[in-house]
Amino acid sequence: MSMLKSWRPQSVFVNYAKYPTSHHVAVNAAVRAALRA
């Protein structure tokens, strides 16, 4: 999280959450939670 605050990116790319593999869903959820924090 501290990297997001210090770097303040204009864009963040994540994998597609609806792709039918559990790691895509998990990574997408983790990134979205970090961006909301």
Side-chain angles (χ1 to χ4, degrees):
M1 178 58 190
S2 62
M3 288 182 2
L4 285 174
K5 284 185 177 180
S6 65
W7 292 353
R8 300 184 53 82
Q10 292 181 358
S11 300
V12 177
F13 297 92
V14 297
N15 47 4
Y16 185 54
K18 304 234 184 247
Y19 191 74
T21 58
S22 59
H23 66 277
H24 277 242
V25 175
V27 169
N28 187 284
V31 171
R32 291 171 59 104
L35 291 172
R36 284 193 300 270

